[in-house]
């Protein structure tokens, strides 16, 4: 301990920032050097789960006392991980107001939802009025109140809303419109979040994550509206929504993960034609994107093979991606459609990327079906620039797996330098 005490104060504070607040405060008894050091720690993490179920009062008093005594002029992070049984709006209001003059940069409020029958925690209005210096705000499993006149986060660059509930559609619009420098937004919607159309209209946004995997009712037309002309990264996974409207093409986008069950995909796929890295899992291949669209910048494509029409979609994207260098095929989801899989029809013309640029093929969870064999054979005998093909099988039958991989190794390869590896 004496050797540790000789370290510079800045380094000691950084070490203490890695510990829960409960442990940080306990270091005050180590020596005179440590007695007041905890008061300057720039990151405070309060976790109610470290207390017994009936000790919320003790936990609350500890948070009150330690926040009041804390003296760091700038508080980098305040992390509140709270339970739903005892925690109320009043406690959170007091804690937020206590750090109002500390130039708080990051606030994380996470409510435990391990027991589903507990009532929701409503976040206080002080969240909007006492956190004007925030750069990062992360909220999970709570309720935002309607107080649109108080919204203004002039420094907020990172916002995460996970399983949150809202008064309605308009609050989302007002909240985002009052974040003038917002760059990263994460939205993971929950059932019954009281929002029908989730509108993201932020001119400064660079990275957007939109996930919706559950829906309260299949009869509710829930969806997204996106207007983010500066967007560079998009991650959308929506298997319960009905639509996604793009109001301005995202001409600066470089990376996109697109997974959804929309019937109409043309607008979304057509708006990301500048993408360099693309992961896609969509149900339709016909008119998946506007006729004439070309992915001129696409160099890395990952395509999920769970959907019925994956094969046709693959051929379309290969045809329209002249600079593609890396292709990955993977079955990430369970195929649930009862529609028959389409038969393989070899294209009349070999896609330009196979002749000029494709260097690697990775096939994960290869099953050895007739259609998969045909696709693999076509790529191997057409790929002039192929350097490496990596195949991994999901089969647990060693003998079957050996025969399947032996078949692949005997296929004709147009590229003399192409190597086949089996995982």
């Amino acid at each position: 301990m004496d050797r540790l005490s000789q370290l510079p104060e800045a380094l000691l504070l950084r070490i203490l920032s890695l510990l829960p607040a409960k442990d940080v405060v306990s270091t005050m008894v180590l020596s005179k050097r440590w007695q007041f050091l905890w008061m300057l720690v720039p990151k405070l993490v309060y976790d109610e789960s470290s207390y017994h179920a009936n000790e919320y009062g003790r936990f609350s008093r500890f948070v009150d006392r330690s926040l009041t005594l804390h003296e760091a002029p700038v508080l980098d992070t305040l992390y509140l991980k709270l339970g739903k049984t005892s925690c109320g709006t009043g406690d959170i209001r007091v804690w937020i107001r206590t750090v109002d003059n500390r130039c708080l940069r990051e606030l994380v409020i996470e409510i435990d939802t391990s027991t589903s029958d507990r009532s929701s925690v409503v976040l206080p209005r002080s969240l909007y009025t006492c956190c004007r210096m925030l750069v990062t705000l992360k909220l999970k499993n709570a309720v935002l109140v309607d107080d649109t006149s108080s919204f203004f986060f002039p420094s907020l660059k990172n916002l995460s809303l996970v399983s949150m509930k809202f008064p309605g559609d308009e609050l989302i619009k007002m909240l985002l419109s009052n974040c003038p420098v917002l760059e990263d937004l994460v939205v993971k919607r929950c059932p019954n979040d009281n929002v029908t159309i989730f509108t993201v209209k932020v001119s400064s946004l660079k990275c957007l994550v939109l996930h919706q995997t559950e829906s309260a009712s299949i009869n509710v037309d829930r969806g997204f509206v996106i207007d983010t002309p500066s967007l560079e990264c998009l991650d959308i996974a929506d298997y319960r929504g009905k639509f996604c409207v793009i109001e301005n093409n995202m001409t600066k986008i470089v990376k996109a993960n697109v997974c959804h069950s929309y019937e109409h995909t043309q607008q979304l796929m057509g708006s990301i034609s500048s993408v360099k890295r693309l992961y896609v899992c969509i149900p339709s291949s016909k008119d998946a994107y506007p006729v004439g669209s070309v992915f001129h910048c696409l160099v890395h494509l990952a395509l999920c093979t769970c959907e019925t029409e994956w094969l046709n979609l693959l051929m379309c994207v290969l045809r329209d991606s002249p600079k593609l260098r890396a292709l990955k095929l993977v079955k990430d989801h369970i195929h649930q459609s009862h529609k028959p899989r389409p038969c393989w029809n070899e294209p009349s013309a070999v896609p330009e990327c196979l002749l000029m640029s494709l260097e690697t093929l990775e096939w994960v969870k290869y099953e050895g079906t007739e259609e998969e064999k045909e696709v693999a054979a076509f790529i191997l005998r057409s790929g002039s620039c192929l350097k490496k093909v990596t195949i991994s099988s999901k089969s647990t039958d060693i003998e079957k797996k050996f025969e399947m991989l032996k078949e692949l190794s005997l296929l004709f390869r147009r590229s003399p330098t192409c190597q086949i590896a089996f995982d």
Side-chain angles (χ1 to χ4, degrees):
M1 182 55 63
D2 289 338
R3 294 177 62 186
L4 186 62
S5 298
Q6 302 305 312
L7 295 175
E9 183 175 288
L11 181 56
L12 291 176
L13 291 175
R14 187 170 182 179
I15 294 173
L16 290 175
S17 294
L18 303 175
L19 303 175
K22 186 177 180 181
D23 296 332
V24 171
V25 175
S26 66
T27 62
M28 64 184 297
V29 301
L30 296 178
S31 67
K32 288 185 177 181
R33 171 80 193 279
W34 293 79
Q35 186 174 0
F36 302 107
L37 192 63
W38 71 270
M39 297 181 182
L40 301 176
V41 175
K43 180 179 180 180
L44 295 175
V45 179
Y46 297 99
D47 187 353
E48 187 188 341
S49 65
S50 62
Y51 289 73
H52 294 297
N54 60 347
E55 291 186 319
Y56 178 76
R58 182 178 166 216
F59 168 77
S60 178
R61 289 190 295 272
F62 169 72
V63 178
D64 289 341
R65 180 69 172 166
S66 57
L67 281 180
T68 301
L69 294 175
H70 196 265
E71 297 179 351
V74 176
L75 184 57
D76 289 336
T77 301
L78 175 60
Y79 192 143
L80 300 171
K81 188 173 182 179
L82 310 170
K84 294 176 74 175
T85 50
S86 304
C87 179
T89 304
D91 290 322
I92 300 176
R93 181 191 303 114
V94 170
W95 298 333
I96 291 177
R97 287 181 174 175
T98 302
V99 298
D100 186 26
N101 61 346
R102 311 285 177 80
C103 298
L104 181 62
R105 311 312 296 272
E106 178 182 27
L107 174 62
V108 182
I109 301 178
E110 179 181 337
I111 310 300
D112 178 28
T113 58
S114 57
T115 303
S116 60
D117 59 349
R118 294 173 179 173
S119 60
S120 299
V121 173
V122 179
L123 299 181
R125 286 180 172 82
S126 56
L127 176 66
Y128 313 140
T129 59
C130 298
C131 299
R132 297 297 170 87
M133 299 300 293
L134 279 179
V135 176
T136 299
L137 175 61
K138 298 180 180 180
L139 305 175
K140 184 176 181 179
N141 297 320
V143 180
L144 284 179
V145 296
D146 191 358
D147 192 7
T148 55
S149 62
S150 302
F151 285 157
F152 189 55
F153 295 98
S155 304
L156 194 67
K157 291 187 176 182
N158 310 293
L159 175 61
S160 176
L161 303 170
V162 177
S163 297
M164 295 291 293
K165 293 185 179 181
F166 313 90
D169 296 17
E170 290 303 314
L171 182 132
I172 297 298
K173 295 179 183 179
M174 291 296 297
L175 173 60
L176 296 181
S177 66
N178 284 282
C179 301
V181 297
L182 189 65
E183 295 182 356
D184 297 282
L185 174 63
V186 176
V187 176
K188 297 184 179 181
R189 300 183 63 180
C190 66
N192 301 314
D193 63 1
N194 301 319
V195 176
T196 302
I197 302 177
F198 202 108
T199 302
V200 180
K201 188 173 184 177
V202 185
S203 61
S204 59
L205 203 64
K206 294 182 178 180
C207 184
L208 175 61
V209 176
L210 296 175
H211 287 184
Q212 178 174 250
T213 57
E214 297 180 276
S215 180
S217 173
I218 59 174
N219 297 319
V220 178
D221 289 340
R222 288 161 43 111
F224 296 102
V225 172
I226 302 175
D227 185 357
T228 53
S230 299
L231 202 67
E232 297 175 1
C233 298
L234 172 66
D235 180 354
I236 180 168
D238 187 0
Y239 292 105
R240 293 294 182 266
K242 298 296 182 68
F243 60 88
C244 182
V245 176
I246 309 298
E247 295 194 343
N248 282 293
N249 283 351
M250 296 170 278
T251 58
K252 297 182 180 180
I253 200 142
V254 295
K255 182 178 180 181
N257 295 334
V258 180
C259 306
H260 61 68
S261 57
Y262 307 141
E263 294 182 2
H264 304 288
T265 64
Q266 298 94 325
Q267 189 186 35
L268 176 56
M269 292 294 292
S271 69
I272 59 173
S273 59
S274 66
V275 68
K276 293 183 179 180
R277 300 179 65 89
L278 174 64
Y279 171 88
V280 61
C281 179
I282 57 178
S284 175
S285 62
K286 184 179 180 181
D287 300 327
Y289 48 89
V291 176
S293 295
V294 179
F295 299 96
H296 288 288
C297 302
L298 187 62
V299 295
H300 188 283
L301 170 66
L303 188 143
C304 182
T305 63
C306 73
E307 294 289 353
T308 301
E309 299 187 26
W310 73 271
L311 196 155
N312 293 333
L313 178 61
L314 172 64
M315 290 299 106
C316 289
V317 180
L318 290 181
R319 179 195 65 204
D320 297 324
S321 306
K323 297 180 181 179
L324 190 68
R325 294 203 303 265
L327 171 63
K328 181 177 181 179
L329 302 175
V330 58
K331 190 173 183 179
D332 281 329
H333 313 102
I334 299 175
H335 177 65
Q336 297 180 341
S337 175
H338 298 294
K339 296 180 181 179
R341 295 260 181 168
C343 297
W344 163 254
N345 292 313
E346 185 170 320
S348 57
V350 177
E352 182 180 345
C353 65
L354 292 183
L355 298 173
M356 304 298 293
S357 61
L358 189 68
E359 297 179 351
T360 63
L361 166 64
E362 180 183 3
W363 200 320
V364 182
K365 297 182 180 179
Y366 180 84
E367 297 177 353
T369 63
E370 285 303 316
E371 65 182 21
E372 291 183 340
K373 292 178 185 177
E374 294 289 347
V375 173
F378 173 71
I379 294 176
L380 284 170
R381 68 171 176 266
S382 304
S384 303
C385 304
L386 273 177
K387 295 180 180 179
K388 186 173 184 180
V389 174
T390 304
I391 306 290
S392 62
S393 171
K394 61 178 293 185
S395 175
T396 56
D397 187 327
I398 302 299
E399 184 175 345
K400 178 182 177 182
K401 186 175 181 179
F402 176 79
E403 289 298 324
M404 182 169 54
L405 300 180
K406 182 179 178 181
E407 284 183 351
L408 289 173
S409 64
L410 295 175
L411 292 175
F412 173 76
R413 302 171 220 175
R414 181 166 183 170
S415 171
T417 60
C418 178
Q419 296 181 348
I420 298 181
F422 304 113
D423 287 343

